[in-house]
Amino acid sequence: MMDRDNRNALIAAAWIMLLFGIAAFYLPTVMLALGNVSTVLAGIVGIGFVLAFFLVFWLRSRSQNKGK
């Protein structure tokens, strides 16, 4: 059986994955549109997306470990 902390972590991870999944679905379209303006800007957005994905989980783990 899941306890409250595990259930909350699962719900938070599911929301994060869902939001990043939607963003990843539209990322190629955004990058192609930005690529028409500047290829460097399109690259920065792509790199920023990947970094933001890991940053969110890193920040979440830090906030969970503060109380321990």
Side-chain angles (χ1 to χ4, degrees):
M1 200 75 176
M2 272 192 182
D3 63 346
R4 183 173 177 243
D5 291 336
N6 286 341
R7 188 187 65 216
N8 288 343
L10 178 66
I11 291 170
W15 272 108
I16 292 168
M17 294 295 287
L18 179 69
L19 292 175
F20 271 98
I22 292 169
F25 181 77
Y26 290 109
L27 185 64
T29 306
V30 171
M31 287 186 67
L32 286 172
L34 289 174
N36 289 332
V37 176
S38 169
T39 55
V40 173
L41 184 59
I44 290 171
V45 168
I47 291 169
F49 175 79
V50 173
L51 290 176
F53 181 77
F54 291 107
L55 181 69
V56 166
F57 283 109
W58 178 71
L59 288 173
R60 177 151 172 79
S61 71
R62 282 185 52 113
S63 71
Q64 285 182 335
N65 290 334
K66 279 205 188 260
K68 294 180 181 177

